[in-house]
Amino acid sequence: MALAERVETATERLNTTIVDSPRAVIIAFLLLTVVFAGGLTSVQVNAGGLDAFTENMPEQEALDEANQNFEDPFQTDTETTTQLIRADSNVLTKESLVRQSQFHERLAARDDFRVESVSGPAPIIAQRLNPAATTPEEYTRTLERASQSEIRQAVRELGENSRLAGSLSDDFNPTSVSASGSISILTHDFPESFSSADLTTVQTDIQVIADDQPSDVRAFGSGTTKSEIRQSMSDSLLIVMPLVVLLLLFFLVVAYRDPIDVALGLVALVMTILWTFGFLGYAGIPFSQQMISVPVLLLAVGVDFGIHIINRYREETERGFAAVEAMREATSQLTVAFIIVTVTAVFGFGANVISDLTPIRNLGIAAAIGIIFTYLIFGLFLPAAKLVSDDVRTRLGVPEFNSSPIASEDSVLGRVLSFPAQVSQHAPVVLVLVLLLSGGIMGAYGSGVGTSFENEDFLPPEELPAYISGLPEPFSPGEYTITETINLLDDKFGGGQGNSVKIYAEGNFEEDHALEALVAPNDNPPESLAVGPGGQAEAQSIVTVIKSHADENEEFAALVNRNDLDDDGVPERNLDHIYDELFASSASERAEQYLTEDRRTAQLEYTVDSDASQSVAATDAAEFAETFRVESTATGDGIVRAAVMDRIFQSALQGLVVAIVLTAVFLVAVYGVLERKPLLGVVNIFPILIAIAFLLGTMRYMDITLNALTATILSISVGVGIAYSVHTTHRFIDEYDATTGAHEAMMVTLTGTGGALFGSMLTTALGTGALALAITPILGNFGVLIGLSVTYSFLAAVIALPPAVLLWERIRQLDRYPLAGLGPAMQ
């Protein structure tokens, strides 16, 4: 009992400070607000996107190393290059090529663009016609002087397997010399001091010039992508936050029914956001797309705290207490509950800090710190401010507008909320078993929820819904083209960057039989890679380049045949001489894509079965890499995304387990120490487990996957949802004593605290649900899920907690009266 007494003494001192020195509390909090406001200027905005989740991942590092060693028109250094995507009826006509080259020349003339080199169809064809041409001006002159027939002949000579084909759309036909799309690459020579914002400026300026072109030309790169992500963040905040504030204001008016109390609630909400964002600035945690959910969550939880403190204060004043004593009674009853809710919410939100993914970890830190600030402001500042405002109101003679609680036992809402308790008294065991069964079914169904990690999660849709695009200024969103551009890339260039994986191999490839070792695993690949004839793997490698060039060059074919001991087209010896001839030939550009100059690193690209999922392809590729005799690593965009999806799923599962375990241990300890009722901690967890099971089932039914943000919903649901169970249980303990049975105590609880819970549920569900109107799908889905989570948590607290508490009382009665059988417990 010593610990319980110390806790009680500490809470009494805290409550005494609030009610006896409210003005000192207000001044202290206002000073702290000024301090935290100083951190707002240091808040960094990070566009995030896919790159933020792949930093320091071994799979991404392997892909980066492969991209550095091998040329690939679709894999460029996004921080120093700009892709120019052109769509036209035929980008290979003389007129179109000249326009392309003139456009490149115009860009290269701009000193601020710092263009170092240009690659693409126009430069490649111009160099074929005139090998001495090395600048955009020379490319333009060469193309202008060439005839259409000379250009057509150059394209045919370059053929399908050249860098030219790699920069053209999938419909490229060398015979008819036609293609409907092309990609040119601008390489910039930026200094080290060049920032991401500078790159964004360059690429958006390039797009302005591109808009003057007669054909469809788009500047695509990390700068334009981050620019639109930032714009979508700003637009989402501009659309969502006013709606959230209006909804919260509406429910504050409904719950408080007093303009002064509403104003106090709004001041507390603003302070909560200022403190949290100030902390982000001081801590150097960037504000990313995922962070938009944090202020919405904190506003909703803050309103929850505010409604409870004001509602309980009004209950005490209606019982005849004066203002100071009424607040003393209210805070003494709620302080422990607020602390329990805050700690469990920190467990729920903070469980995400164990994630391997930095953005999710940062989200967990920000939300956990924010919920602590929310408790301090609404648990200490708001009661003090309420006392001072009521004192001023009394001295000035300002009337009270409506100071009654939200619900009472005589109200319609009170009767509705108490109905589950009335039903539970007759068959609590049956109801608990039904809830366990239904929760188990939904949980089992929801265990099949999918995971995703796609660009589309972070980017605005190609076409915004009419209810968003039709908003008036200043809420009207900007124009977005990035998703349309990505879809254009997929449609026209998908074959060049399609469903494939890469094997990055390191060894001495001049040794005899080195090439045989590279092709040997192709005979027995995993199922997802067995797409070639006879179930073999379909690969592009240095071996396929050797075979292709041998088909084109008789002299080279003779060299290969002399060194091919088993007549399978793969030479076993004199590989150094074969490489020398290959790299000195017209096939050198193709060879450079698969073998480095020092012949120590090779790249193999394998086609993957189109029906195989990313996770299956990644697993098969990793197993396949182990069958090579040289050191090999599976990599590629699909491998990286599969690795991130695996981490997302692990993060969701680990966060949920950590949140539940920490919350359960804490609640058992708290109720055991303070109330000598440790099993009530387990009873508290029961409703939230039911709510999470139904949430998972709903996610699968609605086809909402676990992605970079929704992966946090499970642990956050514990943090947000446990508040409903804790407030209900804590009020139940206050009412439950030797003269008041569990059923009667629960009836009083649901008609009293149930009203505050209902108001809190409406504000939180609709407030956080407003995120569904965000520009990007990742925020929209999160808004839907957090709204559902809050609703399920409230319903579980009202429906699942009463039978669980009544069952707990029966077990307790059996322990107390073991010889009395079931008699006393059944009464």
Side-chain angles (χ1 to χ4, degrees), residues 293-311:
S293 62
V294 173
V296 177
L297 283 171
L298 298 182
L299 289 177
V301 174
V303 170
D304 171 34
F305 281 1
I307 288 177
H308 278 288
I309 193 70
I310 298 299
N311 196 62

Side-chain angles (χ1 to χ4, degrees), residues 75 109 135 232 293 305 343 384 451 455 473 496 556 562 602 612 655 659 668 679 681 702 716 778 805-806:
Q75 296 290 347
T135 66
S232 71
S293 62
F305 281 1
V343 173
T451 57
N455 259 319
E473 294 291 346
F556 184 75
R562 286 196 302 271
V668 168
L679 279 181
M702 297 178 66
I716 286 178
I778 193 171
V805 167
L806 294 180

Side-chain angles (χ1 to χ4, degrees), residues 283-516:
I285 297 176
F287 183 81
S288 63
Q289 214 174 42
Q290 293 77 26
M291 288 287 187
I292 294 177
S293 62
V294 173
V296 177
L297 283 171
L298 298 182
L299 289 177
V301 174
V303 170
D304 171 34
F305 281 1
I307 288 177
H308 278 288
I309 193 70
I310 298 299
N311 196 62
R312 185 63 67 89
Y313 170 75
R314 288 177 175 179
E315 286 185 23
E316 300 306 325
T317 56
E318 285 214 336
R319 291 171 57 188
F321 285 104
V324 172
E325 293 307 314
M327 186 61 74
R328 190 188 307 277
E329 187 70 16
T331 54
S332 66
Q333 292 175 353
L334 286 174
T335 296
V336 174
F338 278 175
I339 292 175
I340 293 174
V341 169
T342 301
V343 173
T344 53
V346 168
F347 288 156
F349 296 169
N352 291 296
V353 302
I354 67 172
S355 174
D356 293 332
L357 302 171
T358 301
I360 292 180
R361 190 163 58 247
N362 286 342
L363 174 65
I365 294 171
I369 296 297
I371 202 68
I372 294 174
F373 291 160
T374 303
Y375 160 68
L376 292 174
I377 292 169
F378 281 88
L380 307 182
F381 170 80
L382 183 61
K386 173 63 175 171
L387 280 177
V388 172
S389 68
D390 279 4
D391 180 55
V392 172
R393 188 206 304 254
T394 300
R395 286 192 284 109
L396 296 179
V398 178
E400 291 186 356
F401 292 84
N402 192 326
S403 60
S404 61
I406 295 176
S408 66
E409 60 182 354
D410 297 325
S411 67
V412 174
L413 179 59
R415 290 195 296 271
V416 171
L417 292 175
S418 63
F419 179 73
Q422 293 176 341
V423 175
S424 298
Q425 67 174 324
H426 302 294
V429 176
V430 174
L431 287 177
V432 168
L433 291 176
V434 170
L435 289 166
L436 283 173
L437 179 62
S438 59
I441 293 173
M442 289 295 286
Y445 174 71
S447 64
V449 67
T451 57
S452 68
F453 184 67
E454 302 291 342
N455 259 319
E456 289 75 8
D457 291 338
F458 300 89
L459 299 174
E462 186 169 345
E463 292 186 11
L464 296 176
Y467 60 82
I468 291 180
S469 60
L471 289 172
E473 294 291 346
F475 306 106
S476 178
E479 182 179 351
Y480 297 101
T481 61
I482 193 70
T483 303
E484 184 181 0
T485 301
I486 291 175
N487 291 338
L488 177 66
L489 280 170
D490 290 340
D491 292 341
K492 287 190 175 294
F493 304 91
Q497 51 185 1
N499 198 18
S500 64
V501 296
K502 295 178 180 179
I503 300 295
Y504 185 67
E506 297 177 284
N508 184 359
F509 294 102
E510 291 184 340
E511 292 181 349
D512 290 351
H513 302 283
L515 293 183
E516 286 283 0

Side-chain angles (χ1 to χ4, degrees), residues 14-140:
L14 183 62
N15 295 334
T16 299
T17 301
I18 295 171
V19 299
D20 291 348
S21 307
R23 288 174 174 78
V25 172
I26 293 173
I27 292 173
F29 273 78
L30 292 179
L31 290 175
L32 283 172
T33 301
V34 173
V35 172
F36 279 113
L40 295 178
T41 57
S42 302
V43 176
Q44 304 170 3
V45 178
N46 183 0
L50 299 183
D51 294 343
F53 289 83
T54 59
E55 290 181 0
N56 302 320
M57 287 182 58
E59 295 84 357
Q60 182 64 51
E61 291 174 352
L63 180 59
D64 291 341
E65 186 176 353
N67 290 337
Q68 288 176 0
N69 287 325
F70 300 101
E71 295 185 11
D72 188 333
F74 292 104
Q75 296 290 347
T76 59
D77 184 350
T78 58
E79 297 303 323
T80 60
T81 60
T82 300
Q83 290 187 356
L84 302 174
I85 304 161
R86 178 181 293 267
D88 207 342
S89 57
N90 186 3
V91 297
L92 295 177
T93 64
K94 176 180 177 178
E95 181 184 6
S96 179
L97 290 169
V98 170
R99 283 203 306 266
Q100 291 176 46
S101 191
Q102 289 173 339
F103 178 47
H104 300 161
E105 188 177 345
R106 183 179 176 185
L107 298 178
R110 286 277 297 266
D111 292 337
D112 54 329
F113 290 169
R114 305 182 72 92
V115 177
E116 183 179 40
S117 64
V118 183
S119 63
I124 292 172
I125 295 171
Q127 286 183 319
R128 182 71 177 182
L129 294 167
N130 178 17
T134 57
T135 66
E137 295 88 346
E138 293 171 347
Y139 299 151
T140 301

